[in-house]
Amino acid sequence: QVQLVESGGGFVQPGESVRLSCAASGFTFTNFAMNWVRQAPGKGREWISSIDRAGTRPLYADSVKGRFTISRDNNNNILYLHMNGLNSDDTATYYCVKYRLPYVHYDRRSEKDFDTWGPGTQVTVSA
């Protein structure tokens, strides 16, 4: 059974940093590029980052580029998102998301390319 479980969210002040983790199980982690998607209150879901199978080619949305860093630990099947310089616009539920197909890492993607989402972890940025 494919499972993704995020952790690391919470309340932070503007300018602070947070690291999110996603523990993956039930599939061959190294065969899949992985994604982070977020959803702010009252807004639609926003793809923010993905990383290829080897962890050498990260991609970022413009909204987080230069502030967030995606990485992965293929030995322990964990996906990370390091978030720096947080502001109120980063308040959202953050989801770890698996691609439907192995071996792909799209420059452009849509939700139809995803097949498994974690339950999400909430990050609230507030003074």
Side-chain angles (χ1 to χ4, degrees):
Q1 180 182 355
V2 177
Q3 192 170 18
L4 302 170
V5 180
E6 304 91 342
S7 60
F11 287 89
V12 297
Q13 294 194 341
E16 290 187 340
S17 300
V18 167
R19 187 184 76 168
L20 304 183
S21 301
C22 169
S25 61
F27 65 102
T28 304
F29 186 65
T30 52
N31 283 355
F32 290 85
M34 296 293 295
N35 301 266
W36 287 100
V37 174
R38 69 183 180 185
Q39 185 167 21
K43 296 186 178 180
R45 291 189 283 209
E46 176 192 17
W47 171 87
I48 56 172
S49 185
S50 66
I51 192 165
D52 66 316
R53 295 182 296 132
T56 58
R57 184 171 169 251
L59 299 174
Y60 300 98
D62 288 344
S63 58
V64 305
K65 195 175 297 181
R67 299 189 299 123
F68 291 11
T69 302
I70 189 172
S71 62
R72 62 191 295 163
D73 177 353
N74 283 343
N75 290 322
N76 293 295
N77 293 355
I78 302 175
L79 179 71
Y80 296 106
L81 186 67
H82 301 251
M83 306 189 294
N84 298 319
L86 288 163
N87 58 62
S88 58
D89 290 338
D90 298 315
T91 294
T93 301
Y94 286 75
Y95 299 94
C96 172
V97 184
K98 172 185 165 292
Y99 274 119
R100 184 180 309 280
L101 297 177
Y103 311 117
V104 300
H105 186 210
Y106 299 118
D107 289 321
R108 293 181 180 272
R109 84 289 303 151
S110 66
E111 291 194 9
K112 68 175 176 61
D113 297 314
F114 306 144
D115 70 350
T116 305
W117 297 64
T121 187
Q122 177 68 36
V123 175
T124 302
V125 185
S126 176

